[in-house]
Every structure is written in structure tokens, then in C-alpha cells.
Amino acid sequence: MEDAEKLLEEDRNISAFLEYMKSRDKENLELAKKALRNIKSYSSTRKDGKGYRIRIKCRNEERVFSYSFPYIYGDFMGLIEDNVNLNHGRTGYLENTGGFFLNFMTQRGFDSVGFAMDEGAWERSVFSNFPVYRREYLKRELSPLVLGKGSEKTLDRLFWIVEEYEKEKDFLEEFLKDLDIDIFILVPEIFDLRIEEMNRKILFSRTLATSDKEFKLLLLSSKESFEPEKTRIPEGLEVLQGNSVIFRVQTDKCRDNNGFSYTDEGHYFVETLKQYESKSDLEYKDSFLKEYYESFQPQNRRDNYLWEEGVECFPMDHGWLYDPWRKPANPPLRKKRFETRKGGNHNIGPNTQEFGQAEFKRLIGAYEALKYGGYNPDFFVDGYVTGYLLIRKDDYRFIASEGQHRIAALAALGYDSLVCRFDLKPWTNQTVFYNQASKWPQVKAGIFTPRLAKICFEHFFRKDNNSRLIEHIKGMSSG
């Protein structure tokens, strides 16, 4: 990869990253991860909430991409998953969706390969969820995406959303000639598909509609019959048995970083949204969130957990520490709390007035977007609520690390479950097992004893965290 090395020397890390990503071998993927270190990325949601913009830059390069995934893509894949078990066999797809297919297949761990007709389509797809992959240093490798037709000969099915029929049909000609491949195709209702040219018959047909257009989802096959079989999203601990980083959790098993439940009375975000539901002109100064920030101002990790007097918890009562299961080992004891951004921490007080107002605005914005647009994480960069699992025997708690406003909004809207994603940042363990406390990073480093580490773990399973918070706030208010 002499060209890529030269690009790095010229501080053109974006182009070098792309060159490395065109190869699927392990060495070049590792080099691609190194190229990421000098690339910065920024994303912003469109004002109408129907798309997003990504800006990527390094010292001598900058790229900007705008994305807007039609919801019909999600309807297409939803109907597919209701009728086809994608955990069996290998799926090919024409990546003319700007990265929707690529991200969908990557997140769920399906055996798949995509085909991009030109370099522009390939590049646009690779960058479609770039801020997430950048933050996680490609811990979850992208599913194979081939520039051109490649040499793939072992597909069981092919997905094709028609945009430019003749051009795409010519590109896919070799696959269409292979009668062992089932073709799932989405076309406008009024479109003349000329099925006779594909030497297949229709085994499955469904109508999908947007506000102004109807589409047909067709299964074209040379087989005699079609037996539907559903693709299941892993539920809870079922995610441990497969390759998916996407799974469904029960909302009442979700906790924030404090250990507070989103479904029990007293959660600062959810209670604020309940106020907003009954008083749409609610302002931050009158909100439960402001009262919470003014009342709950822990000085160390022990206070943060509202532990009773007498709990032996050194050094947690002397400052702020990482959770015992977090990497890296042996970080310094911090006298000051961690900040979400300048001016405060959205999980605890004290915070500046500006910070509190911004958090209130973000919370209401997330609630309004989910109330009227639904939870559609596949359509946005970093769209999924992410976190990790604490596991004790056959029970779990999902600890939300990204998307805490969204999960609070979903709880306030009455969602009893949600589809989430593992947080794949390098310092995060996706699964933490209670019976492996002696192996946790901060325990091995001698910062926590195994006993204290387990007490921290058990804190997230306690049933009285929210009620103790309510009592604390009442005590502060009356005092």
C-alpha cells in the first residue's frame, strides 16, 4: 500500500483511510484504524429531523456528506426480517442506499456482502456512520463492501432497491443469471419490472406506501415455494449467543450511570418530561431537572450512589473513580467530578444555569422527536441508545452510556422495551459478569477489593435507588 503510505506522509489521512479500507486483509484494517487517529468528524441533524450531515477533516483534507434515508428502506427491511431468517445463509445487496444497507448488516452481524457500482457510492456508504466508527476505532469491523462486482459467488439472496433500473440491472446481470439466488426487490408500484427477463417467478409480494407513493416488495425466485421464517432481534441475554451488537432490552432493566431506574418514580429526566406532558410551556426554572441539579450534588463516588453510613468504601469516599469494571486499569483518583461538557455533568449537579437550560432543551427536543417521529435509530448517525450489560446469573441491567435523553423520552412515552446497541468504545466492556469480579481492571490494579467491586455492581440491581433519591431531594428541600 505504497500509495496509502504516501498519503499519510502528506497528512491526507482521509484518503489513506479509504485506501486501507478497500482491502479486507487484517494488516490493512489495522492500518486503517491508525489512520483514524488524525481524523476528526462532526455530525449534525437536519432541522426537520429527516437527515443528517457529516463533516470529516484532517490536516490537509476535508469531506462533507449529507444523508437522508427514506423510511421506506426501514419498511423494506422490517418486512424482510418478518419473513426471512437472515441469520441463515449469505446476503448480498446493491449498496445504492448511501450506507443504510451497510450499517444495517454490520450492526446485526449478518453474513453479508455489499456491491457499490462506483467509487462515489462506495465512499459515501463507508462514511455514513463514520463518527461512531471513528469513536470506536472500528472495533466492529464494517461488513464487506466491494467496489464493483467482485468475485462473490456464494450468495443465498440479493437485496435490490431500484433507483436506476437499467443501469443497476446491467451491473447485477451476473447475479440475476444465477437462478439459485432469491432476489428481493423494491420498486415503485407503477414500475414495469419486466420479470420475464429474469427467468424467475413471483413467490412473495407486498405493498408498501409512503405519503405520496406506493411500492412493491417482490421475491423473485426460481424455486417452487417460499416458507416464511422470521429474523429475531436478540432479547436481553440472547445477544451473548450471536454476532449482533443490536439487541432488545426491557426498559425497567435500564439504568443510568448513577444506577437510577428510568421507569421508577424519581428519575430526573423522566419526571421533567412528565411535567412537560402536562404543561407544554414548562421552563427550566420551574422544572424538576433544576430542582434535581440543585439538590443532588455529590462530592465523591460514594455520595453519588447515596450509600448509607457505615458502608466500607475507601477510596470511593475520597474522590471520583472509574467503575471497577472499566478500562484502563489504575487511573488517577480525581478530586473533581467528570464533566459531560463545559459547565456541568448531565447526571448530577451542580451545573451552571446555561448548562442546565441546554440539557432541558436537549431533553425536550429528544422527547418531541420521538413522540412524533418514533424511534428509528437506523436512519441517523449514532441513532441507537448504546451501553453495556451487567450480568448476574440469568438477570441483567443495561447501563446506558450514550442516548440517555432518548431512553428517558422512550420511558416517558411508555415504551416497555427498546432496541439498543453495545457501546464499543475501547475502554468499555460490553458485558460484565458478577462472578468475574477478581478479573475486572480496577480490581486487578488493586484500586478496588473484590468485595467493594461487587457492592458497586449490586448497586445497579438495588430496587430502592430512586426512592432514596426522592428522600434525599425532600430532605434538601426541607433543610
Side-chain angles (χ1 to χ4, degrees):
M1 283 274 177
E2 294 182 4
D3 290 344
E5 291 176 5
K6 183 178 179 181
L7 290 168
L8 287 176
E9 291 173 1
E10 297 171 353
D11 289 322
R12 297 172 62 196
N13 286 63
I14 297 173
S15 295
F17 170 78
L18 289 170
E19 288 300 313
Y20 288 132
M21 286 298 292
K22 288 175 184 175
S23 169
R24 300 305 303 179
D25 64 73
K26 187 174 181 180
E27 180 182 357
N28 282 309
L29 283 173
E30 288 303 313
L31 291 170
K33 294 177 185 179
K34 290 182 179 180
L36 285 174
R37 295 173 184 171
N38 294 311
I39 301 174
K40 295 182 179 180
S41 63
Y42 312 88
S43 65
S44 58
T45 303
R46 274 176 25 183
K47 290 184 178 180
D48 62 6
K50 295 181 180 180
Y52 60 91
R53 180 176 179 267
I54 291 178
R55 179 172 166 239
I56 303 161
K57 65 180 298 185
C58 61
R59 181 173 293 180
N60 290 326
E61 286 186 296
E62 181 172 334
R63 309 280 179 93
V64 177
F65 299 90
S66 294
Y67 296 88
S68 179
F69 298 140
Y71 279 9
I72 194 71
Y73 292 177
D75 296 338
F76 174 79
M77 287 310 304
L79 198 49
I80 292 288
E81 288 189 303
D82 282 341
N83 290 277
V84 183
N85 188 349
L86 299 179
N87 292 302
H88 295 164
R90 186 165 175 78
T91 301
Y93 56 90
L94 178 63
E95 183 43 282
N96 60 351
T97 65
F100 174 83
F101 272 150
L102 174 63
N103 295 318
F104 193 96
M105 299 296 175
T106 297
Q107 309 273 35
R108 288 156 177 79
F110 297 141
D111 183 5
S112 66
V113 57
F115 305 95
M117 294 174 60
D118 55 54
E119 188 148 355
W122 183 88
E123 182 176 314
R124 180 175 170 78
S125 298
V126 168
F127 281 130
S128 60
N129 207 25
F130 185 80
V132 174
Y133 300 129
R134 162 67 181 81
R135 185 176 68 214
E136 298 174 349
Y137 288 98
L138 282 174
K139 186 173 181 178
R140 178 68 162 190
E141 293 178 5
L142 297 180
S143 294
L145 179 61
V146 177
L147 177 55
K149 301 175 186 178
S151 57
E152 181 63 48
K153 301 295 182 185
T154 58
L155 298 179
D156 294 281
R157 63 190 72 90
L158 180 74
F159 296 164
W160 176 15
I161 295 179
V162 173
E163 295 289 346
E164 300 177 81
Y165 178 73
E166 292 296 342
K167 182 179 177 181
E168 293 165 356
K169 179 175 174 291
D170 290 343
F171 178 79
L172 295 171
E173 184 177 6
E174 292 179 21
F175 301 111
L176 299 178
K177 286 180 179 178
D178 185 349
L179 297 182
D180 288 333
I181 298 178
D182 289 338
I183 311 293
F184 289 85
I185 185 168
L186 184 71
V187 294
E189 176 77 36
I190 60 173
F191 192 82
D192 180 11
L193 192 58
R194 303 196 298 276
I195 296 171
E196 64 278 1
E197 297 179 2
M198 301 186 196
N199 298 315
R200 289 171 169 83
K201 52 181 172 288
I202 298 174
L203 291 187
F204 178 90
S205 175
R206 293 290 186 276
T207 299
L208 299 173
T210 63
S211 59
D212 60 351
K213 190 182 297 185
E214 289 193 344
F215 294 81
K216 280 286 189 183
L217 189 161
L218 304 173
L219 164 56
L220 308 181
S221 178
S222 60
K223 300 180 179 68
E224 293 300 320
S225 62
F226 169 68
E227 294 294 332
E229 185 180 0
K230 189 179 179 70
T231 301
R232 291 186 64 252
I233 294 176
E235 299 269 353
L237 298 184
E238 290 178 354
V239 72
L240 304 180
Q241 302 167 14
N243 297 318
S244 179
V245 295
I246 302 296
F247 55 106
R248 183 178 295 278
V249 294
Q250 297 301 307
T251 312
D252 63 3
K253 291 184 180 292
C254 297
R255 300 290 183 269
D256 67 13
N257 291 322
N258 301 318
F260 297 134
S261 165
Y262 293 92
T263 55
D264 293 337
E265 181 185 358
H267 193 280
Y268 43 102
F269 284 160
V270 180
E271 292 301 323
T272 301
L273 290 174
K274 289 178 180 178
Q275 287 181 307
Y276 177 73
E277 285 175 344
S278 59
K279 191 176 187 297
S280 62
D281 59 349
L282 179 70
E283 297 181 17
Y284 173 64
K285 64 182 179 65
D286 302 314
S287 70
F288 184 84
L289 184 61
K290 186 173 189 295
E291 181 182 6
Y292 170 79
Y293 285 153
E294 292 177 347
S295 302
F296 188 53
Q297 301 182 359
Q299 299 302 302
N300 52 57
R301 182 65 76 189
R302 181 201 178 285
D303 293 347
N304 190 192
Y305 286 170
L306 288 172
W307 281 354
E308 300 85 349
E309 294 295 332
V311 176
E312 194 65 39
C313 60
F314 178 84
M316 295 177 64
D317 53 354
H318 281 61
W320 296 92
L321 293 165
Y322 287 163
D323 292 318
W325 45 83
R326 181 177 163 172
K327 298 174 284 189
N330 201 22
L333 177 71
R334 297 170 59 115
K335 291 298 183 182
K336 293 184 177 180
R337 64 174 184 172
F338 304 95
E339 286 200 340
T340 307
R341 59 186 182 279
K342 186 177 180 180
N345 181 310
H346 64 253
N347 289 315
I348 57 177
N351 297 314
T352 65
Q353 180 75 7
E354 292 76 17
F355 181 94
Q357 287 178 332
E359 280 302 300
F360 178 78
K361 184 177 180 180
R362 290 179 68 197
L363 180 63
I364 299 303
Y367 176 81
E368 290 289 328
L370 291 167
K371 182 176 181 179
Y372 295 106
Y375 178 54
N376 298 293
D378 287 307
F379 292 95
F380 298 94
V381 63
D382 208 8
Y384 279 95
V385 171
T386 66
Y388 61 93
L389 291 173
L390 299 181
I391 302 168
R392 184 173 64 182
K393 295 183 179 179
D394 59 353
D395 197 7
Y396 71 88
R397 294 295 180 269
F398 175 75
I399 314 303
S401 50
E402 304 284 347
Q404 294 187 42
H405 300 90
R406 278 166 282 166
I407 195 171
L410 292 172
L413 289 167
Y415 282 64
D416 57 11
S417 68
L418 67 142
V419 178
C420 60
R421 178 181 180 271
F422 275 133
D423 183 345
L424 299 179
K425 291 191 287 290
W427 53 86
T428 303
N429 289 312
Q430 285 69 60
T431 54
V432 181
F433 292 89
Y434 181 74
N435 62 2
Q436 296 179 2
S438 62
K439 299 179 181 179
W440 297 345
Q442 311 305 324
V443 176
K444 291 178 69 176
I447 306 298
F448 287 82
T449 65
R451 178 179 175 276
L452 179 57
K454 284 189 172 182
I455 292 174
C456 291
F457 185 105
E458 292 164 359
H459 169 76
F460 291 88
F461 284 74
R462 287 185 63 159
K463 296 181 179 179
D464 64 344
N465 289 340
N466 286 47
S467 60
R468 289 185 296 115
L469 174 63
I470 292 171
E471 288 302 313
H472 173 82
I473 293 174
K474 287 180 179 177
M476 296 296 292
S477 299
S478 61

